[in-house]
Amino acid sequence: MLRPRMMSRVLIAGPAAYLEKAVEALHGTGTLHITDYTEQYAEFRLGAPLPGAAELSEKLLRLRAATKVLGIEEGGSPGPSGGKPEPRKGIDALLEELGRTVSVREAERQELEARLSEARRTIEAVRPFTALPLRFESYAPLESVAAFAGTVRTPIAAEVARITPRHELFTAPDGSFFALFVDRRHRAAVEKLLAQHSFAEAKPPLSEGAPSEVLSRNQALVAETQGKLGALSEELRAARARYMRDILDCQLELGLEVEKAEAPLRFAATRSSFLVEGWIPSDELDRTENSLLRTAGASVYLERIEEREWVADAEAAKGQSPHAGVAAGGEHGGGAEHPDPYEKVPVALSNPRPVKPFEMLTEMFSTPGYREIDPTVTMALVFPFFFGLMIGDLAYGLLLATAGALFMTRLRRFEGFRELGWYILLAGIVAAIFGAFVFGDAFGIPFHSPHGAHGAEAISWSGILGFEIPIKASVHKLEASGLGNLLMFSILAAVVHLSLGNILGIVNEWRHNRRHAAAKAGWLLTVLGFGFLILKFGESTSLGAWLWDNALWPFAPSLDPGIGILVPYASIVFLIVGVALVVAGEGAIALTEVMGVFSNILSYTRLGAIGVAKGAMAFAFNILIIPMVTGGNIGFAVFGCVLLVLAHMLVFMLGSLSSGIQALRLNLVEYFMKFFKGGGIKFIPFGKEKYDREKSSGA
Amino acid sequence: MDPMSAGLIAVGAGIAIAGGGIGTGLAQKDIGAAAVGATAENPKMFGRSIVFLVLPETLVIFGFVVAAMLWLKMA
């Protein structure tokens, strides 16, 4: 759980004749993370792809083109006109059929669309000319006559007449569009005149006949082409429904074939043998070896390299590289101070099923290193808790849980939605529990009206439902005492969470460097020192009083420096010892980060702050809108109800979004920074897709 | 508490949270622009850029803490 799966380094070698069988076996088990060969051995060159790789890639390309034409997406549904799926075809048959139908239809469609846009352009061009009683032949260029057609801003008739009487002017009934024919000798003068009147020229289309005829001819063409296009896209839709399943299956199958065929490119090879290096989870070693033996026989040999051997190898390689740097650059490279022989080991996180989806959040920061603690399980506990606490409302919690369930079932085909659904389902449940038993409210309306409240502020569920709800809220978000308790709780959560982070830090560093581990212990003490100080400050709240009387009583004795704050002696001791350890472990520069711990702790007050802000927003909407609903005017009541739904949707969306992001941030920033380095290589087994498919269908 | 002091405390609380909010806003405008750019280039950066984007919200949280402490004093 807290550690990734144990890995074994393996070397697989065999004669070239058995290459294909070995690839088949390894792909089938889906357990080997191949280390790409980088031509580091003089005797071996890069392997060549299996025969047929090029042909397979080409087929895959053709198939992808078809998916694009048909608008098929991975995981999409075949659409409403799904019909009965036909029996599964072979890849070649399918490609041949697609070529016959889909490609031809697509070419037809493109041609029709070109024709359609051409006709539409013509219609646009012809339309103004229909207002004039002239056929298009009239506009043909003549030796002695210049023709102009278009629009002007202001009338031109009088001025044209002044230039030359030898002209003919046709104007559309609405006066904007005109055609003008003048003696070619006056052409320049007329052009100048038109320019002064903001002339916009309209080019007559290269057609013959009356404009209205041309117009109706093209309109008919548009209608006809649209009809054909409609029929065609109907056909394509039908083809999509018919071929979708086949195409997706074939695509997956071809993808796997291509992966197999190209795998030898990552191997080392000589003329007569091949060699693969990689990593296999230790518990899968036997299964992989058996599968190799069964498929490829005893000629292919799998050897497990002992951990101490590859650790020594890696250290030797590290030791060499700085010298290489000196030789090449002449500069003394810093190099890695502590060579980590495990940095090349791929990391396969191993978590129980309920925790597995949270790996996505951990990976968002980084993949843990092979020898590092995998914090996913702590994240899986803390993230929904913080998320739910910030929402802290029965109704919003139930809504959130419903949304989560919906994401996990209906929308699971979208990438990441299954995981997201799980997070918000858990968070929703936590929020509902907090809302019901701690804060006692739903939709920002309390179960019981607060003391001394009157008017709209006194609205409560007990009042609305007409009976006394038997659960009493222990924390009222919008009262001073409630806010104080919420802030105290946030600080307490900070101390616990950050302490856990530092404890994990101690464990991580212990193997590498004891001095760094001591520094982590120093940071842990600093967290406790500042934490107790702040918690003491909040002793006047009921949670604070309880805490100092019960859980924290051994640390309660305090110094009173006379400035209105009590300083627990424990805080002083923790801070002095902590800072001393930090300086001893990480040097004096670490002093600059000591105050950072203080602000890290205060940063957790966002847990209370966002809860209160969201509660206040819902409360404000309620006291504004509810009187409108209950005012007695039926019109206002209906309008108020609509407004109320919209307002609560807004609060719900904003609240969930910010609560989720802030809960994530507290984990990724404040918590992970205390111990998590990451930078591990993700374990990607050869044949992964198949592996995934088998896994999800088996689950 | 006399109304004058209460009023001044309330104004102080307002200034505390407003200052924090302005600071956060100034910081977020640059981070936000960069985050949108990064996400446009590589949609996988979305999650990480959201986290970067909320980093400076700590400032307004500090403002909130001060405001809350003042308010608790007043109430």
Side-chain angles (χ1 to χ4, degrees):
Chain A
M1 205 150 57
L2 287 164
R3 295 268 177 214
R5 290 169 82 176
M6 204 149 88
M7 289 284 160
S8 296
R9 187 165 174 203
V10 295
L11 207 73
I12 299 164
Y18 285 89
L19 177 60
E20 198 166 342
K21 282 184 175 163
V23 166
E24 186 67 45
L26 292 172
H27 197 267
T29 51
T31 50
L32 176 70
H33 177 103
I34 300 175
T35 308
D36 288 356
Y37 177 60
T38 50
E39 304 205 291
Q40 64 266 46
Y41 311 122
E43 307 79 23
F44 287 90
R45 53 198 162 65
L46 279 182
L50 294 178
E55 196 191 330
L56 285 172
S57 306
E58 196 234 306
K59 281 184 190 166
L60 188 58
L61 218 60
R62 274 163 62 194
L63 210 54
R64 292 213 172 118
T67 53
K68 202 148 186 202
V69 169
L70 295 178
I72 294 174
E73 286 163 20
E74 197 118 2
S77 74
S81 55
K84 261 186 246 150
E86 286 176 23
R88 174 88 156 66
K89 297 181 185 65
I91 291 172
D92 289 316
L94 179 70
L95 274 175
E96 203 256 335
E97 205 173 317
L98 285 176
R100 232 179 326 107
T101 55
V102 175
S103 309
V104 172
R105 292 282 174 281
E106 172 62 11
E108 234 172 276
R109 195 183 61 83
Q110 279 175 1
E111 197 200 315
L112 282 176
E113 287 210 325
R115 206 185 298 166
L116 186 65
S117 60
E118 173 65 32
R120 283 197 173 128
R121 263 201 304 280
T122 311
I123 288 176
E124 281 314 303
V126 167
R127 201 183 296 282
F129 289 92
T130 53
L132 300 177
L134 296 171
R135 294 172 69 84
F136 282 122
E137 292 88 328
S138 321
Y139 300 94
L142 292 175
E143 229 167 80
S144 57
V145 180
F148 299 93
T151 53
V152 279
R153 292 265 174 84
T154 39
I156 49 168
E159 284 172 76
V160 174
R162 221 172 295 140
I163 293 173
T164 169
R166 287 165 58 79
H167 76 274
E168 242 182 305
L169 178 67
F170 301 88
T171 311
D174 65 354
S176 60
F177 193 79
F178 73 93
L180 173 65
F181 302 88
V182 293
D183 192 326
R184 196 168 267 281
R185 280 172 299 175
H186 299 290
R187 182 189 165 134
V190 171
E191 267 174 2
K192 201 171 153 205
L193 168 74
L194 289 175
Q196 285 163 2
H197 288 266
S198 322
F199 174 54
E201 189 181 9
K203 280 242 185 287
L206 296 169
S207 313
E208 293 192 347
S212 54
E213 280 170 26
V214 177
L215 185 70
S216 56
R217 201 162 59 226
N218 276 291
Q219 276 166 341
L221 187 64
V222 165
E224 188 198 327
T225 316
Q226 269 173 339
K228 277 190 197 163
L229 265 177
L232 207 56
S233 55
E234 198 53 51
E235 260 177 72
L236 281 174
R237 235 197 314 276
R240 176 175 191 261
R242 191 160 61 236
Y243 296 121
M244 175 143 171
R245 185 90 12 241
D246 280 355
I247 289 181
L248 285 179
D249 283 351
C250 285
Q251 205 169 318
L252 189 68
E253 197 172 300
L254 262 179
L256 292 175
E257 289 300 322
V258 169
E259 193 189 8
K260 266 194 264 181
E262 288 179 348
L265 288 169
R266 308 168 70 187
F267 296 178
T270 65
R271 196 185 300 274
S272 55
S273 67
F274 71 92
L275 181 72
V276 199
E277 280 185 87
W279 299 87
I280 294 178
S282 301
D283 50 1
E284 304 265 25
L285 206 56
D286 286 346
R287 190 163 75 85
T288 313
E289 206 168 359
N290 285 338
S291 161
L292 261 179
L293 197 66
R294 231 181 9 254
T295 317
S299 317
V300 176
Y301 178 66
L302 181 148
E303 181 175 290
R304 184 183 162 190
I305 306 174
E306 292 301 323
E307 179 164 334
R308 86 189 122 71
E309 278 178 56
W310 57 259
V311 167
D313 266 5
E315 269 164 0
K318 277 269 182 181
Q320 274 167 11
S321 56
H323 295 301
V326 172
E331 197 179 302
H332 212 289
E337 209 182 317
H338 312 285
D340 180 9
Y342 297 93
E343 71 177 14
K344 294 255 170 69
V345 186
V347 176
L349 299 182
S350 149
N351 284 300
R353 268 190 75 160
V355 178
K356 203 103 193 138
F358 287 91
E359 286 175 4
M360 199 170 90
L361 294 183
T362 307
E363 305 253 342
M364 199 186 250
F365 186 88
S366 184
T367 301
Y370 182 60
R371 300 249 285 172
E372 217 178 345
I373 285 182
D374 165 19
T376 308
V377 67
T378 60
M379 179 94 135
L381 293 174
V382 172
F383 177 76
F385 180 77
F386 282 177
F387 195 164
L389 171 66
M390 280 188 263
I391 291 181
D393 183 294
L394 177 60
Y396 290 146
L398 293 178
L399 273 178
L400 197 64
T402 314
L406 208 66
F407 276 26
M408 289 180 73
T409 50
R410 285 297 177 81
L411 303 172
R412 61 185 293 167
R413 64 172 184 274
F414 296 108
E415 200 192 336
F417 270 60
R418 201 165 6 148
E419 287 85 355
L420 189 64
W422 180 235
Y423 311 150
I424 63 181
L425 174 65
L426 291 180
I429 294 170
V430 175
I433 293 173
F434 267 108
F437 298 106
V438 180
F439 302 120
D441 59 2
F443 288 121
I445 301 173
F447 290 172
H448 305 276
S449 41
H451 304 295
H454 45 80
E457 292 179 26
I459 297 166
S460 70
W461 283 112
S462 293
I464 294 171
L465 300 175
F467 66 89
E468 195 70 2
I469 294 175
I471 309 168
K472 285 266 184 245
S474 42
V475 175
H476 295 278
K477 276 187 202 169
L478 299 182
E479 286 177 12
S481 64
L483 178 60
N485 279 327
L486 213 48
L487 291 183
M488 274 299 277
F489 186 78
S490 306
I491 299 293
L492 188 63
V495 174
V496 174
H497 201 213
L498 293 177
S499 298
L500 177 63
N502 279 310
I503 290 170
L504 296 183
I506 296 174
V507 178
N508 270 342
E509 294 292 351
W510 189 254
R511 292 192 184 186
H512 288 290
N513 188 323
R514 301 285 151 93
R515 223 178 55 173
H516 287 181
K520 288 287 177 203
W523 287 120
L524 172 63
L525 289 176
T526 317
V527 167
L528 292 174
F530 278 128
F532 286 172
L533 185 65
I534 305 173
L535 288 174
K536 192 75 189 170
F537 184 76
E539 202 181 358
S540 57
T541 61
S542 50
L543 177 62
W546 178 85
L547 214 57
W548 285 106
D549 285 345
N550 296 285
L552 295 178
W553 68 265
F555 306 105
S558 301
L559 177 76
D560 185 359
I563 49 167
I565 326 174
L566 291 176
V567 182
Y569 291 113
S571 273
I572 302 174
V573 175
F574 285 166
L575 281 174
I576 292 174
V577 177
V579 171
L581 279 173
V582 165
V583 171
E586 294 181 4
I589 190 77
L591 282 177
T592 56
E593 289 173 38
V594 170
M595 281 319 284
V597 173
F598 186 73
S599 68
N600 277 168
I601 296 174
L602 280 191
S603 186
Y604 281 73
T605 52
R606 73 187 65 224
L607 291 174
I610 289 173
V612 170
K614 206 186 49 55
M617 206 151 73
F619 176 74
F621 279 130
N622 286 337
I623 60 169
L624 284 175
I625 304 173
I626 290 181
M628 202 155 111
V629 178
T630 53
N633 182 322
I634 184 75
F636 274 153
V638 172
F639 180 61
C641 281
V642 174
L643 217 55
L644 207 56
V645 170
L646 288 178
H648 279 290
M649 255 163 63
L650 181 78
V651 177
F652 175 66
M653 298 296 289
L654 283 180
S656 319
L657 193 68
S658 65
S659 303
I661 292 172
Q662 301 294 353
L664 184 63
R665 173 231 151 95
L666 285 178
N667 276 288
L668 296 197
V669 180
E670 270 80 6
Y671 177 59
F672 275 9
M673 295 290 191
K674 297 285 167 288
F675 65 96
F676 192 34
K677 292 206 181 71
I681 300 167
K682 205 175 165 171
F683 175 71
I684 301 172
F686 174 52
K688 179 178 182 306
E689 278 183 278
K690 179 168 184 174
Y691 179 69
D692 277 355
R693 187 168 55 159
E694 274 173 4
K695 225 175 160 190
S696 62
S697 63
Chain B
M1 186 175 290
D2 67 293
M4 187 66 184
S5 310
L8 284 176
I9 288 176
V11 171
I15 292 175
I17 210 157
I22 291 170
T24 298
L26 285 177
Q28 281 192 334
K29 85 175 194 310
D30 292 337
I31 302 175
V36 170
T39 311
E41 231 169 68
N42 176 8
K44 287 203 172 131
M45 286 295 292
F46 178 71
R48 212 172 295 178
S49 32
I50 288 269
V51 173
F52 284 134
L53 186 63
V54 297
L55 277 185
E57 277 176 20
T58 311
L59 295 178
V60 73
I61 297 290
F62 291 162
F64 166 80
V65 170
V66 172
M69 276 160 55
L70 287 172
W71 182 61
L72 290 177
K73 198 172 215 146
M74 198 171 67

Coordinates of all heavy atoms in Angstrom, one line a residue, chain A residues 364 479-480 483 487 537 599 602-603 605-606 609 661-662 665 668-669, chain B residues 47-48 50-51 54-55 57-58 61-62 64-65 68-69 71-72 75:
Chain A
M364 N -0.7 13.5 -10.5 CA -0.8 14.9 -10.9 C 0.4 15.7 -10.4 O 0.9 16.6 -11.0 CB -2.1 15.5 -10.3 CG -2.6 16.7 -11.0 SD -4.0 17.3 -10.1 CE -5.3 17.0 -11.2
E479 N -22.3 31.9 13.4 CA -22.2 32.5 14.6 C -20.8 32.6 15.1 O -20.0 31.8 14.7 CB -23.1 31.8 15.7 CG -24.6 31.9 15.5 CD -25.4 31.1 16.5 OE1 -24.8 30.6 17.4 OE2 -26.6 31.0 16.2
A480 N -20.5 33.6 15.9 CA -19.1 33.8 16.3 C -18.5 32.5 16.9 O -17.3 32.1 16.6 CB -19.0 35.0 17.3
L483 N -17.7 29.9 14.2 CA -16.6 30.3 13.4 C -15.3 30.0 14.2 O -14.3 29.4 13.6 CB -16.6 31.8 13.0 CG -15.4 32.3 12.2 CD1 -15.3 31.5 10.9 CD2 -15.6 33.7 11.9
L487 N -12.4 27.4 13.0 CA -11.0 27.8 12.8 C -10.1 26.9 13.6 O -9.0 26.4 13.2 CB -10.8 29.3 13.1 CG -11.4 30.2 12.2 CD1 -11.1 31.7 12.6 CD2 -11.0 30.0 10.7
F537 N -3.9 29.9 21.6 CA -4.5 31.2 21.3 C -6.0 31.1 21.2 O -6.8 32.0 21.6 CB -3.9 31.8 20.0 CG -4.4 33.1 19.7 CD1 -3.9 34.3 20.3 CD2 -5.4 33.3 18.7 CE1 -4.4 35.5 20.0 CE2 -5.8 34.6 18.4 CZ -5.3 35.7 19.0
S599 N 3.0 29.8 8.3 CA 1.9 30.2 7.3 C 1.3 28.9 6.7 O 0.1 28.9 6.4 CB 2.5 31.1 6.2 OG 3.5 30.4 5.4
L602 N -1.5 28.2 9.1 CA -2.6 29.1 8.9 C -3.3 28.9 7.6 O -4.5 29.1 7.5 CB -2.1 30.6 8.9 CG -1.8 31.2 10.3 CD1 -1.6 32.7 10.2 CD2 -3.0 30.9 11.3
S603 N -2.6 28.3 6.6 CA -3.2 28.1 5.3 C -4.4 27.1 5.4 O -5.3 27.2 4.6 CB -2.1 27.5 4.4 OG -2.6 27.3 3.1
T605 N -6.7 27.2 7.5 CA -7.9 27.8 8.0 C -8.9 28.0 6.8 O -10.0 28.3 7.0 CB -7.6 29.2 8.6 OG1 -6.9 30.0 7.7 CG2 -6.9 29.1 9.9
R606 N -8.4 27.8 5.6 CA -9.3 27.8 4.4 C -10.4 26.8 4.6 O -11.4 26.9 4.0 CB -8.5 27.6 3.1 CG -8.0 26.2 2.9 CD -7.1 26.2 1.7 NE -5.9 26.9 1.8 CZ -5.4 27.7 0.9 NH1 -6.0 27.9 -0.2 NH2 -4.3 28.4 1.1
A609 N -12.7 28.8 6.4 CA -13.1 30.0 5.6 C -14.1 29.6 4.5 O -15.1 30.3 4.3 CB -11.9 30.6 5.1
I661 N -10.9 22.1 -5.3 CA -9.6 22.6 -5.6 C -8.7 22.9 -4.4 O -7.6 22.5 -4.3 CB -9.7 23.8 -6.5 CG1 -10.3 23.4 -7.9 CG2 -8.3 24.5 -6.7 CD1 -10.6 24.6 -8.7
Q662 N -9.4 23.5 -3.4 CA -8.6 23.8 -2.2 C -8.2 22.6 -1.4 O -7.1 22.5 -0.8 CB -9.4 24.7 -1.3 CG -9.8 26.0 -1.9 CD -8.7 27.0 -2.3 OE1 -7.5 26.7 -1.9 NE2 -8.9 28.0 -3.0
R665 N -5.3 21.3 -3.1 CA -4.1 22.1 -2.9 C -3.5 21.8 -1.6 O -2.3 21.7 -1.5 CB -4.6 23.6 -3.0 CG -3.5 24.5 -2.7 CD -4.0 25.5 -1.6 NE -2.9 26.0 -0.8 CZ -2.2 27.1 -1.0 NH1 -2.5 27.8 -2.1 NH2 -1.2 27.4 -0.2
L668 N -1.5 18.7 -2.2 CA -0.4 18.7 -3.1 C 0.7 19.8 -2.6 O 1.8 19.6 -2.9 CB -0.9 19.1 -4.5 CG -1.8 18.2 -5.2 CD1 -1.8 18.4 -6.7 CD2 -1.4 16.7 -5.0
V669 N 0.2 20.9 -2.1 CA 1.2 21.9 -1.7 C 1.7 21.7 -0.3 O 2.8 21.4 0.0 CB 0.6 23.3 -1.9 CG1 1.6 24.4 -1.6 CG2 0.2 23.5 -3.4
Chain B
G47 N -4.8 20.2 -14.7 CA -4.9 19.9 -13.2 C -3.8 20.7 -12.5 O -4.0 21.3 -11.5
R48 N -2.6 20.5 -13.1 CA -1.4 21.2 -12.4 C -1.6 22.7 -12.4 O -1.3 23.4 -11.5 CB -0.1 20.8 -13.1 CG 1.0 20.7 -12.1 CD 2.2 20.1 -12.7 NE 2.0 18.7 -13.1 CZ 3.0 18.0 -13.7 NH1 4.1 18.5 -14.0 NH2 2.8 16.7 -14.0
I50 N -4.3 24.4 -12.4 CA -5.3 24.8 -11.3 C -4.6 24.9 -10.0 O -4.8 25.9 -9.2 CB -6.4 23.8 -11.3 CG1 -7.3 23.8 -12.5 CG2 -7.2 23.9 -10.0 CD1 -8.5 24.7 -12.3
V51 N -3.7 24.0 -9.7 CA -3.1 24.0 -8.4 C -2.2 25.2 -8.3 O -2.1 25.9 -7.3 CB -2.3 22.7 -8.2 CG1 -1.4 22.8 -6.9 CG2 -3.2 21.5 -8.1
V54 N -4.2 28.4 -7.6 CA -4.8 28.6 -6.2 C -3.7 28.9 -5.2 O -4.0 29.2 -4.1 CB -5.7 27.5 -5.7 CG1 -6.9 27.4 -6.6 CG2 -5.0 26.2 -5.6
L55 N -2.4 28.8 -5.6 CA -1.3 29.0 -4.6 C -1.5 30.4 -3.9 O -1.5 30.4 -2.7 CB 0.0 29.0 -5.3 CG 0.6 27.6 -5.5 CD1 2.0 27.7 -6.1 CD2 0.7 26.8 -4.2
E57 N -3.9 32.0 -3.1 CA -5.1 32.3 -2.3 C -4.8 32.2 -0.8 O -5.6 32.7 0.0 CB -6.2 31.2 -2.7 CG -6.9 31.7 -3.9 CD -7.9 30.7 -4.5 OE1 -8.4 29.9 -3.7 OE2 -8.3 30.8 -5.6
T58 N -3.6 31.7 -0.5 CA -3.2 31.8 0.9 C -3.3 33.2 1.4 O -3.6 33.5 2.6 CB -1.8 31.2 1.1 OG1 -1.8 30.0 0.4 CG2 -1.4 31.0 2.5
I61 N -6.6 34.2 2.5 CA -6.9 33.4 3.7 C -6.3 34.1 5.0 O -6.9 34.2 6.0 CB -6.3 31.9 3.6 CG1 -6.9 31.2 2.4 CG2 -6.5 31.2 4.9 CD1 -8.4 30.8 2.6
F62 N -5.1 34.6 4.8 CA -4.5 35.3 5.9 C -5.4 36.5 6.3 O -5.6 36.8 7.4 CB -3.1 35.8 5.6 CG -2.1 34.7 5.5 CD1 -0.8 34.9 4.9 CD2 -2.3 33.5 6.1 CE1 0.1 33.9 4.8 CE2 -1.4 32.4 6.0 CZ -0.2 32.6 5.4
F64 N -8.4 36.8 5.8 CA -9.7 36.2 6.4 C -9.4 35.9 7.9 O -10.2 36.2 8.7 CB -10.1 35.0 5.7 CG -11.1 34.2 6.5 CD1 -12.5 34.6 6.4 CD2 -10.8 33.1 7.2 CE1 -13.4 33.9 7.2 CE2 -11.7 32.4 7.9 CZ -13.0 32.8 7.9
V65 N -8.2 35.4 8.2 CA -7.9 35.0 9.6 C -7.9 36.3 10.4 O -8.5 36.3 11.5 CB -6.6 34.3 9.7 CG1 -6.2 34.1 11.1 CG2 -6.7 32.9 9.0
A68 N -11.4 37.5 10.8 CA -12.2 36.7 11.7 C -11.8 37.0 13.1 O -12.7 37.0 14.0 CB -12.0 35.2 11.3
M69 N -10.5 37.1 13.4 CA -10.1 37.4 14.8 C -10.7 38.7 15.2 O -11.1 38.8 16.4 CB -8.6 37.4 14.8 CG -8.0 36.0 15.0 SD -6.3 35.9 14.6 CE -5.6 37.1 15.6
W71 N -13.4 40.1 14.2 CA -14.8 40.0 14.3 C -15.2 39.3 15.6 O -16.1 39.6 16.3 CB -15.4 39.2 13.1 CG -16.9 39.1 13.1 CD1 -17.8 40.1 13.1 CD2 -17.6 37.9 13.2 NE1 -19.0 39.6 13.1 CE2 -19.0 38.2 13.2 CE3 -17.3 36.5 13.2 CZ2 -20.0 37.2 13.2 CZ3 -18.3 35.6 13.2 CH2 -19.6 35.9 13.2
L72 N -14.4 38.2 15.9 CA -14.6 37.5 17.1 C -14.4 38.4 18.4 O -15.1 38.3 19.4 CB -13.7 36.3 17.2 CG -14.0 35.2 16.2 CD1 -12.9 34.1 16.4 CD2 -15.4 34.6 16.5
A75 N -17.7 40.5 18.5 CA -18.9 39.8 18.8 C -19.0 39.4 20.3 O -18.0 39.2 20.9 CB -19.0 38.5 18.0

